[in-house]
Coordinates of all heavy atoms in Angstrom, one line a residue:
R326 N 96.0 110.5 93.5 CA 96.8 110.9 92.4 C 97.4 109.7 91.7 O 97.8 108.8 92.3 CB 98.0 111.7 93.0 CG 98.0 113.1 92.4 CD 99.2 113.8 92.9 NE 98.7 114.6 94.1 CZ 99.5 115.3 94.9 NH1 100.8 115.2 94.7 NH2 99.1 116.0 95.8
I327 N 97.4 109.8 90.4 CA 98.0 108.7 89.6 C 99.4 108.9 89.4 O 99.9 110.0 88.9 CB 97.3 108.6 88.2 CG1 95.8 108.3 88.4 CG2 98.0 107.6 87.3 CD1 95.0 108.3 87.1
A328 N 100.2 107.9 89.8 CA 101.7 108.1 89.8 C 102.2 107.7 88.4 O 103.1 108.3 87.9 CB 102.3 107.2 90.8
E329 N 101.6 106.7 87.8 CA 102.1 106.2 86.5 C 101.0 105.4 85.8 O 100.2 104.7 86.4 CB 103.3 105.3 86.7 CG 103.9 104.8 85.5 CD 105.2 104.0 85.8 OE1 105.6 104.0 87.0 OE2 105.7 103.4 84.9
T330 N 100.9 105.6 84.5 CA 100.0 104.8 83.6 C 100.8 104.2 82.5 O 101.5 104.8 81.8 CB 98.9 105.7 83.1 OG1 98.2 106.3 84.1 CG2 97.9 104.9 82.2
V331 N 100.6 102.9 82.3 CA 101.4 102.1 81.3 C 100.4 101.2 80.5 O 99.6 100.6 81.1 CB 102.4 101.2 82.0 CG1 103.3 100.5 81.0 CG2 103.3 102.1 83.0
D332 N 100.6 101.1 79.2 CA 99.9 100.1 78.4 C 100.9 98.9 78.2 O 102.0 99.1 77.8 CB 99.6 100.7 77.0 CG 98.4 101.6 77.1 OD1 97.6 101.4 78.0 OD2 98.2 102.5 76.2
V333 N 100.5 97.7 78.5 CA 101.4 96.6 78.5 C 101.0 95.6 77.3 O 101.7 94.7 77.1 CB 101.4 95.8 79.8 CG1 102.0 96.6 80.9 CG2 100.0 95.3 80.2
G334 N 99.9 95.8 76.6 CA 99.6 95.0 75.5 C 99.0 93.7 75.8 O 98.3 93.6 76.8
R335 N 99.1 92.7 74.9 CA 98.5 91.4 75.1 C 99.5 90.4 75.7 O 100.6 90.3 75.2 CB 98.0 90.8 73.8 CG 96.8 91.6 73.3 CD 96.1 90.8 72.2 NE 94.8 91.4 71.8 CZ 93.7 91.1 72.4 NH1 93.6 90.2 73.4 NH2 92.6 91.7 72.0
V336 N 99.0 89.6 76.7 CA 99.8 88.5 77.2 C 98.9 87.3 77.3 O 97.8 87.3 78.0 CB 100.3 88.8 78.6 CG1 101.1 87.6 79.2 CG2 101.2 90.0 78.6
N337 N 99.2 86.2 76.6 CA 98.3 84.9 76.6 C 96.9 85.2 76.3 O 96.0 84.8 77.0 CB 98.4 84.2 78.0 CG 99.8 83.7 78.2 OD1 100.5 83.4 77.3 ND2 100.2 83.6 79.5
S338 N 96.6 86.0 75.3 CA 95.3 86.4 74.8 C 94.5 87.2 75.8 O 93.3 87.3 75.7 CB 94.5 85.2 74.3 OG 94.0 84.5 75.3
I339 N 95.1 87.7 76.9 CA 94.4 88.6 77.9 C 95.0 90.0 77.7 O 96.2 90.2 77.8 CB 94.6 88.1 79.3 CG1 94.0 86.7 79.5 CG2 94.0 89.1 80.3 CD1 94.3 86.1 80.8
K340 N 94.1 90.9 77.4 CA 94.6 92.3 77.2 C 94.5 93.1 78.5 O 93.5 93.2 79.1 CB 93.7 93.0 76.2 CG 94.2 94.4 75.8 CD 93.4 95.1 74.8 CE 93.9 96.5 74.6 NZ 93.0 97.3 73.7
V341 N 95.7 93.5 79.0 CA 95.8 94.3 80.2 C 96.3 95.7 79.8 O 97.4 95.8 79.2 CB 96.8 93.6 81.2 CG1 96.9 94.5 82.4 CG2 96.3 92.2 81.5
D342 N 95.6 96.7 80.1 CA 96.0 98.1 79.8 C 95.5 99.0 80.9 O 94.9 98.7 81.8 CB 95.6 98.5 78.4 CG 94.1 98.4 78.2 OD1 93.3 98.1 79.1 OD2 93.7 98.8 77.1
K343 N 95.8 100.3 80.7 CA 95.3 101.4 81.6 C 95.7 101.1 83.0 O 94.9 101.2 83.9 CB 93.8 101.6 81.5 CG 93.4 102.0 80.1 CD 91.9 102.1 80.1 CE 91.4 102.4 78.6 NZ 90.0 102.3 78.5
I344 N 97.0 100.7 83.2 CA 97.5 100.4 84.6 C 97.8 101.7 85.3 O 98.6 102.5 84.8 CB 98.7 99.5 84.5 CG1 98.3 98.2 83.8 CG2 99.2 99.2 85.9 CD1 99.4 97.2 83.5
S345 N 97.3 101.9 86.5 CA 97.6 103.1 87.3 C 97.9 102.6 88.7 O 97.4 101.7 89.2 CB 96.3 104.0 87.3 OG 96.0 104.4 86.0
F346 N 98.9 103.3 89.3 CA 99.3 103.0 90.6 C 98.9 104.2 91.5 O 99.2 105.4 91.2 CB 100.9 102.9 90.7 CG 101.4 101.8 89.8 CD1 101.8 102.1 88.5 CD2 101.4 100.5 90.2 CE1 102.3 101.1 87.6 CE2 101.9 99.5 89.3 CZ 102.3 99.8 88.1
F347 N 98.3 103.9 92.7 CA 97.9 104.9 93.6 C 98.6 104.7 95.0 O 98.1 103.8 95.7 CB 96.4 104.8 93.8 CG 95.6 105.0 92.6 CD1 95.2 103.9 91.8 CD2 95.2 106.3 92.2 CE1 94.5 104.1 90.7 CE2 94.4 106.5 91.0 CZ 94.1 105.4 90.3
P348 N 99.7 105.3 95.2 CA 100.3 105.2 96.5 C 99.6 105.9 97.6 O 99.2 107.0 97.5 CB 101.7 105.8 96.3 CG 101.5 106.8 95.2 CD 100.4 106.2 94.3
K349 N 99.3 105.2 98.7 CA 98.6 105.7 99.9 C 99.5 105.4 101.1 O 100.3 104.6 101.1 CB 97.2 105.1 100.0 CG 96.3 105.4 98.8 CD 95.0 104.8 99.0 CE 94.1 105.1 97.7 NZ 92.8 104.5 97.8
P350 N 99.2 106.1 102.2 CA 100.1 105.9 103.4 C 100.1 104.5 103.9 O 101.2 104.0 104.2 CB 99.4 106.8 104.4 CG 98.6 107.8 103.7 CD 98.2 107.2 102.4
I351 N 99.0 103.8 104.0 CA 99.0 102.4 104.5 C 98.8 101.4 103.5 O 99.5 100.4 103.5 CB 97.8 102.3 105.6 CG1 98.1 103.3 106.7 CG2 97.7 100.9 106.1 CD1 97.0 103.3 107.7
E352 N 97.9 101.6 102.5 CA 97.7 100.6 101.5 C 98.2 101.1 100.1 O 98.4 102.2 99.9 CB 96.2 100.3 101.4 CG 95.3 101.5 101.1 CD 93.9 101.3 101.3 OE1 93.5 100.6 102.3 OE2 93.1 101.8 100.6
R353 N 98.3 100.1 99.2 CA 98.7 100.4 97.9 C 97.6 99.9 96.9 O 97.0 98.9 97.2 CB 100.0 99.6 97.5 CG 101.1 99.9 98.4 CD 101.6 101.3 98.2 NE 102.8 101.6 99.1 CZ 102.8 102.2 100.2 NH1 101.7 102.8 100.6 NH2 103.9 102.4 100.9
E354 N 97.3 100.7 95.9 CA 96.2 100.3 95.0 C 96.7 100.3 93.6 O 97.4 101.3 93.2 CB 95.0 101.2 95.2 CG 93.8 100.9 94.3 CD 92.6 101.7 94.5 OE1 92.6 102.5 95.5 OE2 91.7 101.6 93.7
I355 N 96.3 99.3 92.8 CA 96.6 99.3 91.4 C 95.3 99.2 90.7 O 94.4 98.4 91.0 CB 97.5 98.0 91.0 CG1 98.8 98.1 91.7 CG2 97.6 97.9 89.5 CD1 99.7 96.9 91.5
S356 N 95.1 100.0 89.7 CA 93.8 100.0 88.9 C 94.2 99.6 87.5 O 95.2 100.1 87.0 CB 93.2 101.3 89.0 OG 92.0 101.3 88.1
C357 N 93.5 98.7 86.8 CA 93.8 98.4 85.4 C 92.5 97.9 84.7 O 91.5 97.8 85.3 CB 94.9 97.3 85.4 SG 94.4 95.7 86.0
S358 N 92.7 97.7 83.5 CA 91.6 97.1 82.7 C 92.1 95.8 82.1 O 93.1 95.7 81.5 CB 91.3 98.1 81.5 OG 90.3 97.5 80.7
I359 N 91.3 94.7 82.3 CA 91.6 93.4 81.8 C 90.5 93.0 80.9 O 89.4 92.8 81.3 CB 91.8 92.4 83.0 CG1 92.9 92.8 83.9 CG2 92.0 91.0 82.4 CD1 93.1 91.9 85.1
N360 N 90.8 92.9 79.6 CA 89.9 92.6 78.6 C 88.7 93.5 78.6 O 87.5 93.1 78.5 CB 89.4 91.1 78.6 CG 90.4 90.2 78.1 OD1 91.4 90.6 77.5 ND2 90.3 88.9 78.4
G361 N 88.9 94.8 78.9 CA 87.9 95.8 79.0 C 87.1 95.9 80.3 O 86.2 96.7 80.4
I362 N 87.5 95.1 81.3 CA 86.8 95.1 82.6 C 87.7 95.8 83.6 O 88.8 95.4 83.7 CB 86.5 93.7 83.0 CG1 85.5 93.0 82.0 CG2 85.8 93.7 84.4 CD1 85.3 91.5 82.3
G363 N 87.2 96.8 84.2 CA 87.9 97.5 85.2 C 88.2 96.7 86.5 O 87.3 96.0 87.0
V364 N 89.5 96.7 86.9 CA 89.9 95.9 88.1 C 90.7 96.7 89.0 O 91.6 97.5 88.6 CB 90.8 94.7 87.6 CG1 91.3 93.9 88.8 CG2 90.0 93.8 86.7
N365 N 90.4 96.7 90.3 CA 91.2 97.4 91.3 C 91.8 96.3 92.2 O 91.1 95.5 92.7 CB 90.3 98.3 92.2 CG 89.9 99.5 91.4 OD1 90.5 99.9 90.4 ND2 88.8 100.1 91.8
I366 N 93.1 96.4 92.5 CA 93.8 95.5 93.4 C 94.3 96.4 94.5 O 95.1 97.3 94.3 CB 94.9 94.8 92.7 CG1 94.3 94.0 91.5 CG2 95.6 93.9 93.6 CD1 95.4 93.5 90.5
V367 N 94.0 96.1 95.8 CA 94.4 96.8 96.9 C 95.2 95.9 97.9 O 94.7 94.8 98.2 CB 93.2 97.5 97.6 CG1 93.7 98.3 98.8 CG2 92.4 98.3 96.7
A368 N 96.3 96.3 98.3 CA 97.1 95.5 99.2 C 97.0 96.1 100.6 O 96.8 97.3 100.8 CB 98.6 95.5 98.8
N369 N 97.2 95.3 101.6 CA 97.2 95.7 103.0 C 95.9 96.1 103.6 O 95.7 97.0 104.4 CB 98.2 96.9 103.3 CG 99.7 96.4 103.0 OD1 100.0 95.2 103.1 ND2 100.5 97.4 102.7
R370 N 94.8 95.5 103.1 CA 93.5 95.7 103.6 C 93.1 94.6 104.5 O 92.6 93.6 104.0 CB 92.5 95.9 102.4 CG 92.6 97.1 101.5 CD 92.2 98.4 102.2 NE 90.9 98.3 102.8 CZ 89.8 98.8 102.3 NH1 89.9 99.3 101.1 NH2 88.6 98.7 102.9
L371 N 93.3 94.7 105.8 CA 93.0 93.6 106.7 C 91.6 93.3 106.8 O 91.2 92.1 107.0 CB 93.6 94.0 108.1 CG 95.1 94.2 108.1 CD1 95.6 94.5 109.5 CD2 95.8 92.9 107.7
D372 N 90.7 94.3 106.7 CA 89.2 94.0 106.7 C 88.8 93.1 105.6 O 88.0 92.1 105.8 CB 88.4 95.2 106.8 CG 88.7 96.2 105.6 OD1 89.8 96.1 105.0 OD2 87.9 97.0 105.3
E373 N 89.4 93.3 104.4 CA 89.0 92.5 103.3 C 89.6 91.1 103.4 O 89.0 90.1 103.0 CB 89.4 93.1 102.0 CG 88.6 94.4 101.7 CD 88.9 95.0 100.4 OE1 89.6 94.4 99.5 OE2 88.4 96.1 100.1
L374 N 90.9 91.0 103.9 CA 91.5 89.7 104.1 C 90.6 88.8 105.1 O 90.5 87.6 104.9 CB 92.9 89.8 104.7 CG 93.9 90.3 103.6 CD1 95.3 90.5 104.3 CD2 94.1 89.2 102.5
S375 N 90.1 89.5 106.2 CA 89.2 88.8 107.1 C 88.0 88.3 106.4 O 87.5 87.2 106.7 CB 88.9 89.7 108.3 OG 90.0 90.1 109.0
M376 N 87.4 89.1 105.6 CA 86.2 88.7 104.9 C 86.5 87.5 103.9 O 85.7 86.6 103.9 CB 85.6 89.9 104.1 CG 84.4 89.5 103.3 SD 83.0 88.9 104.3 CE 82.5 90.4 105.0
I377 N 87.6 87.5 103.2 CA 87.9 86.4 102.4 C 88.1 85.1 103.2 O 87.6 84.1 102.8 CB 89.2 86.8 101.5 CG1 88.9 87.8 100.5 CG2 89.8 85.5 100.9 CD1 90.1 88.4 99.8
G378 N 88.8 85.2 104.3 CA 88.9 84.1 105.2 C 87.6 83.5 105.6 O 87.4 82.3 105.6
F379 N 86.7 84.4 106.0 CA 85.4 84.0 106.4 C 84.6 83.3 105.3 O 84.0 82.2 105.5 CB 84.6 85.2 106.9 CG 83.2 85.0 107.3 CD1 82.9 84.3 108.4 CD2 82.1 85.5 106.5 CE1 81.5 84.0 108.8 CE2 80.8 85.3 106.8 CZ 80.5 84.5 108.0
L380 N 84.7 83.9 104.1 CA 84.0 83.3 102.9 C 84.6 81.9 102.6 O 83.9 81.0 102.2 CB 84.0 84.2 101.7 CG 83.2 85.5 101.9 CD1 83.4 86.4 100.7 CD2 81.8 85.2 102.1
E381 N 85.9 81.8 102.7 CA 86.6 80.5 102.4 C 86.1 79.4 103.4 O 85.9 78.3 103.0 CB 88.1 80.7 102.5 CG 88.8 81.3 101.3 CD 88.7 80.4 100.1 OE1 88.8 79.2 100.2 OE2 88.7 81.0 99.0
E382 N 86.0 79.8 104.7 CA 85.5 78.9 105.7 C 84.1 78.4 105.4 O 83.8 77.2 105.5 CB 85.6 79.6 107.1 CG 85.4 78.6 108.2 CD 85.7 79.3 109.6 OE1 86.5 80.2 109.7 OE2 85.0 78.9 110.5
I383 N 83.2 79.3 105.1 CA 81.9 79.0 104.7 C 81.9 78.0 103.5 O 81.1 77.0 103.5 CB 81.0 80.2 104.5 CG1 80.8 81.0 105.8 CG2 79.6 79.8 103.9 CD1 80.1 82.3 105.6
D384 N 82.7 78.4 102.5 CA 82.7 77.6 101.3 C 83.2 76.2 101.6 O 82.6 75.2 101.0 CB 83.6 78.2 100.3 CG 83.5 77.5 98.9 OD1 82.4 77.4 98.4 OD2 84.6 77.1 98.4
R385 N 84.2 76.0 102.4 CA 84.6 74.6 102.8 C 83.5 73.9 103.6 O 83.3 72.7 103.4 CB 85.9 74.7 103.7 CG 87.1 74.9 102.9 CD 88.4 74.6 103.7 NE 88.5 75.5 104.8 CZ 89.1 76.7 104.8 NH1 89.6 77.2 103.7 NH2 89.2 77.5 105.9
H386 N 82.8 74.6 104.4 CA 81.7 74.0 105.2 C 80.6 73.5 104.2 O 80.0 72.4 104.4 CB 81.2 74.9 106.2 CG 80.1 74.4 107.1 ND1 80.3 73.4 108.0 CD2 78.8 74.6 107.1 CE1 79.2 73.1 108.6 NE2 78.2 73.8 108.0
V387 N 80.2 74.3 103.3 CA 79.1 74.0 102.3 C 79.5 72.9 101.4 O 78.8 72.0 101.1 CB 78.7 75.3 101.6 CG1 77.7 74.9 100.4 CG2 78.0 76.3 102.5
G388 N 80.8 73.0 100.9 CA 81.3 72.0 99.9 C 80.6 72.1 98.6 O 80.4 73.2 98.1
Q389 N 80.2 70.9 98.1 CA 79.4 70.9 96.9 C 80.1 71.6 95.7 O 79.4 72.3 94.9 CB 78.0 71.4 97.1 CG 77.2 70.8 98.2 CD 76.8 69.4 97.9 OE1 76.4 69.1 96.7 NE2 76.9 68.5 98.9
D390 N 81.3 71.3 95.5 CA 82.1 71.9 94.4 C 82.0 73.4 94.3 O 81.7 74.0 93.3 CB 81.6 71.3 93.0 CG 82.5 71.6 91.9 OD1 83.7 71.7 92.1 OD2 82.0 71.7 90.7
H391 N 82.3 74.0 95.5 CA 82.3 75.5 95.6 C 81.0 76.2 95.3 O 80.9 77.2 94.8 CB 83.4 76.1 94.8 CG 84.8 75.6 95.1 ND1 85.4 75.9 96.3 CD2 85.6 74.8 94.4 CE1 86.6 75.3 96.3 NE2 86.7 74.6 95.2
L392 N 79.9 75.5 95.7 CA 78.5 76.0 95.5 C 78.4 77.4 96.1 O 77.8 78.3 95.5 CB 77.5 75.1 96.1 CG 76.0 75.5 96.0 CD1 75.6 75.6 94.5 CD2 75.1 74.5 96.7
F393 N 78.9 77.7 97.3 CA 78.7 79.0 98.0 C 79.4 80.1 97.1 O 78.8 81.1 96.9 CB 79.3 78.9 99.4 CG 79.1 80.2 100.1 CD1 77.9 80.6 100.6 CD2 80.2 81.0 100.4 CE1 77.7 81.8 101.3 CE2 80.1 82.2 101.0 CZ 78.8 82.6 101.5
K394 N 80.7 79.8 96.7 CA 81.4 80.8 96.0 C 80.7 81.1 94.6 O 80.6 82.3 94.2 CB 82.8 80.4 95.7 CG 83.8 80.5 96.9 CD 85.2 80.1 96.4 CE 86.1 80.0 97.6 NZ 87.4 79.5 97.1
K395 N 80.3 80.1 94.0 CA 79.6 80.2 92.7 C 78.3 81.0 92.9 O 77.9 81.8 92.0 CB 79.3 78.9 92.1 CG 80.6 78.2 91.6 CD 80.3 76.8 91.1 CE 81.5 76.0 90.7 NZ 81.3 74.7 90.2
S396 N 77.6 80.8 94.0 CA 76.4 81.5 94.3 C 76.6 83.0 94.5 O 75.9 83.9 94.0 CB 75.6 80.9 95.5 OG 75.3 79.6 95.3
I397 N 77.7 83.3 95.2 CA 78.1 84.7 95.5 C 78.4 85.4 94.2 O 77.9 86.5 93.9 CB 79.3 84.8 96.4 CG1 78.9 84.3 97.8 CG2 79.8 86.2 96.5 CD1 78.0 85.1 98.6
I398 N 79.1 84.7 93.3 CA 79.5 85.3 92.0 C 78.2 85.5 91.1 O 78.1 86.6 90.5 CB 80.5 84.4 91.3 CG1 81.8 84.5 92.0 CG2 80.7 84.9 89.8 CD1 82.8 83.4 91.5
L399 N 77.3 84.6 91.2 CA 76.1 84.7 90.4 C 75.2 85.9 90.9 O 74.8 86.7 90.1 CB 75.3 83.4 90.5 CG 74.0 83.4 89.8 CD1 74.2 83.5 88.3 CD2 73.2 82.1 90.1
V400 N 75.1 86.0 92.2 CA 74.3 87.1 92.8 C 74.9 88.4 92.5 O 74.3 89.4 92.1 CB 74.1 86.9 94.3 CG1 73.5 88.1 94.9 CG2 73.2 85.7 94.5
K401 N 76.3 88.5 92.6 CA 77.0 89.8 92.3 C 76.8 90.2 90.9 O 76.5 91.3 90.6 CB 78.4 89.6 92.7 CG 79.2 90.9 92.6 CD 80.6 90.8 93.0 CE 81.3 92.1 92.9 NZ 82.7 92.0 93.4
G402 N 76.9 89.2 89.9 CA 76.6 89.5 88.5 C 75.2 89.9 88.3 O 75.0 90.9 87.5
W403 N 74.2 89.3 88.9 CA 72.9 89.6 88.7 C 72.6 91.1 89.2 O 71.9 91.9 88.6 CB 72.0 88.6 89.5 CG 70.5 89.1 89.5 CD1 69.6 89.0 88.5 CD2 69.8 89.6 90.6 NE1 68.4 89.5 88.9 CE2 68.5 89.9 90.2 CE3 70.2 89.9 91.9 CZ2 67.6 90.4 91.0 CZ3 69.2 90.5 92.7 CH2 67.9 90.7 92.3
M404 N 73.2 91.4 90.4 CA 73.0 92.7 91.0 C 73.6 93.8 90.1 O 73.0 94.9 89.9 CB 73.6 92.8 92.4 CG 72.8 92.0 93.4 SD 73.7 91.9 95.0 CE 73.7 93.6 95.5
F405 N 74.8 93.5 89.5 CA 75.4 94.5 88.6 C 74.5 94.7 87.4 O 74.3 95.8 86.9 CB 76.8 94.0 88.2 CG 77.5 94.9 87.2 CD1 78.1 96.1 87.7 CD2 77.6 94.6 85.9 CE1 78.7 96.9 86.8 CE2 78.2 95.4 85.0 CZ 78.8 96.6 85.5
S406 N 74.0 93.6 86.8 CA 73.2 93.6 85.6 C 71.9 94.4 85.9 O 71.5 95.3 85.1 CB 72.8 92.2 85.2 OG 71.8 92.2 84.2
E407 N 71.3 94.2 87.1 CA 70.1 94.9 87.4 C 70.4 96.4 87.6 O 69.6 97.3 87.2 CB 69.4 94.4 88.7 CG 68.7 93.1 88.4 CD 67.5 93.3 87.5 OE1 66.6 94.1 87.8 OE2 67.4 92.6 86.5
H408 N 71.5 96.7 88.2 CA 71.9 98.1 88.5 C 72.0 98.8 87.2 O 71.5 99.9 87.0 CB 73.2 98.1 89.2 CG 73.9 99.5 89.3 ND1 73.3 100.6 90.0 CD2 75.0 100.0 88.7 CE1 74.0 101.6 89.8 NE2 75.1 101.3 89.1
E409 N 72.7 98.2 86.2 CA 72.8 98.8 84.9 C 71.5 99.0 84.2 O 71.2 100.1 83.6 CB 73.8 98.0 84.0 CG 75.2 98.0 84.4 CD 75.8 99.4 84.3 OE1 75.6 100.1 83.3 OE2 76.4 99.8 85.3
R410 N 70.6 98.0 84.3 CA 69.3 98.1 83.7 C 68.5 99.2 84.3 O 67.9 100.1 83.6 CB 68.6 96.8 83.8 CG 67.2 96.8 83.0 CD 66.5 95.4 83.2 NE 66.1 95.2 84.6 CZ 65.0 95.8 85.1 NH1 64.3 96.7 84.4 NH2 64.6 95.6 86.3
L411 N 68.5 99.3 85.6 CA 67.7 100.3 86.3 C 68.3 101.7 86.1 O 67.6 102.7 86.0 CB 67.7 100.1 87.8 CG 66.9 98.9 88.2 CD1 67.1 98.6 89.7 CD2 65.4 99.1 87.9
R412 N 69.6 101.8 85.9 CA 70.2 103.1 85.6 C 69.8 103.6 84.2 O 69.5 104.8 84.0 CB 71.8 103.0 85.7 CG 72.4 104.3 85.7 CD 73.9 104.2 85.9 NE 74.5 103.8 84.6 CZ 75.7 103.5 84.4 NH1 76.6 103.5 85.4 NH2 76.2 103.3 83.2
Q413 N 69.7 102.7 83.3 CA 69.2 103.0 81.9 C 67.8 103.5 81.9 O 67.4 104.5 81.3 CB 69.4 101.9 81.0 CG 70.8 101.6 80.7 CD 71.0 100.3 79.9 OE1 70.0 99.6 79.6 NE2 72.2 100.0 79.5
V414 N 66.9 102.7 82.7 CA 65.5 103.1 82.8 C 65.4 104.5 83.5 O 64.6 105.3 83.0 CB 64.7 102.0 83.6 CG1 63.3 102.5 83.9 CG2 64.7 100.7 82.8
S415 N 66.1 104.7 84.5 CA 66.1 106.0 85.2 C 66.5 107.1 84.3 O 65.8 108.2 84.3 CB 67.0 105.9 86.4 OG 67.1 107.2 87.0
G416 N 67.5 106.9 83.5 CA 67.9 107.9 82.5 C 66.8 108.2 81.5 O 66.6 109.4 81.1
S417 N 66.1 107.2 81.1 CA 65.0 107.4 80.1 C 63.9 108.2 80.7 O 63.3 109.0 80.1 CB 64.5 106.0 79.6 OG 65.5 105.3 79.0
V418 N 63.5 107.8 81.9 CA 62.4 108.6 82.6 C 62.8 110.0 82.8 O 62.0 110.9 82.6 CB 62.1 107.9 84.0 CG1 61.2 108.7 84.8 CG2 61.5 106.5 83.7
R419 N 64.1 110.2 83.2 CA 64.6 111.6 83.5 C 64.5 112.4 82.2 O 64.1 113.6 82.2 CB 66.0 111.6 84.0 CG 66.4 112.8 84.8 CD 67.7 112.7 85.4 NE 67.9 111.4 86.2 CZ 68.9 110.6 86.0 NH1 69.8 110.8 85.1 NH2 69.0 109.5 86.7
N420 N 64.8 111.8 81.0 CA 64.7 112.5 79.7 C 63.3 112.8 79.4 O 63.0 113.9 78.8 CB 65.3 111.6 78.6 CG 66.9 111.6 78.7 OD1 67.5 112.5 79.3 ND2 67.5 110.6 78.1
L421 N 62.3 112.0 79.7 CA 60.9 112.2 79.4 C 60.4 113.4 80.3 O 59.7 114.3 79.8 CB 60.1 111.0 79.7 CG 60.2 109.9 78.8 CD1 59.4 108.7 79.3 CD2 59.7 110.3 77.4
V422 N 60.9 113.5 81.5 CA 60.4 114.5 82.4 C 61.0 115.9 82.0 O 60.3 116.9 82.1 CB 60.8 114.2 83.9 CG1 60.6 115.4 84.8 CG2 60.1 113.0 84.4
D423 N 62.3 115.9 81.5 CA 62.9 117.1 81.2 C 62.3 117.7 79.9 O 62.4 118.9 79.7 CB 64.4 116.9 80.9 CG 65.2 116.6 82.2 OD1 64.6 116.9 83.3 OD2 66.3 116.1 82.2
H424 N 61.7 116.9 79.1 CA 61.1 117.5 77.8 C 59.7 117.8 78.0 O 58.8 117.9 78.2 CB 61.3 116.5 76.7 CG 62.8 116.4 76.3 ND1 63.6 115.5 76.8 CD2 63.5 117.2 75.5 CE1 64.8 115.6 76.3 NE2 64.8 116.7 75.5

């Protein structure tokens, strides 16, 4: 359930809007849009904190100006791009079959 939605406007040329708060029994979640990109922030997620610590440790071990983190970001971006492309192709094929 959305408890509250607020538009906050522009701060330092970054547009933050569509802020929503989701109170849950153990964790808290905030959903917002930053420059048109959907962002979810979740507090009290111990599994995710463990994963971040693990990735930080690997990144320190690899070194090379945060090569590991940059690679993860690159792969994640590529996967998102491919997912969008495949979704569009799938929709086009579905439209051909329906007609």
Side-chain angles (χ1 to χ4, degrees):
R326 237 182 264 173
I327 298 174
E329 183 177 350
T330 303
V331 182
D332 283 335
V333 294
R335 289 194 172 271
V336 177
N337 295 331
S338 76
I339 297 174
K340 184 179 180 189
V341 179
D342 60 0
K343 301 178 185 171
I344 300 173
S345 302
F346 303 94
F347 301 91
K349 296 180 181 178
I351 296 173
E352 60 193 37
R353 306 290 183 255
E354 183 175 351
I355 297 173
S356 177
C357 66
S358 174
I359 300 176
N360 287 346
I362 299 171
V364 176
N365 289 334
I366 302 167
V367 181
N369 297 335
R370 291 290 307 263
L371 296 179
D372 55 337
E373 290 184 13
L374 286 175
S375 296
M376 180 58 75
I377 289 171
F379 176 69
L380 294 176
E381 283 291 329
E382 190 173 327
I383 292 173
D384 188 56
R385 277 194 300 274
H386 181 72
V387 171
Q389 304 292 320
D390 193 30
H391 300 290
L392 178 64
F393 182 74
K394 285 183 187 177
K395 290 175 182 177
S396 299
I397 295 289
I398 291 169
L399 180 65
V400 169
K401 188 174 180 179
W403 173 76
M404 290 172 62
F405 179 77
S406 173
E407 284 296 305
H408 169 66
E409 289 298 312
R410 187 181 68 76
L411 290 173
R412 196 173 78 183
Q413 291 171 356
V414 169
S415 174
S417 299
V418 170
R419 206 173 309 126
N420 286 339
L421 289 173
V422 172
D423 289 342
H424 289 93

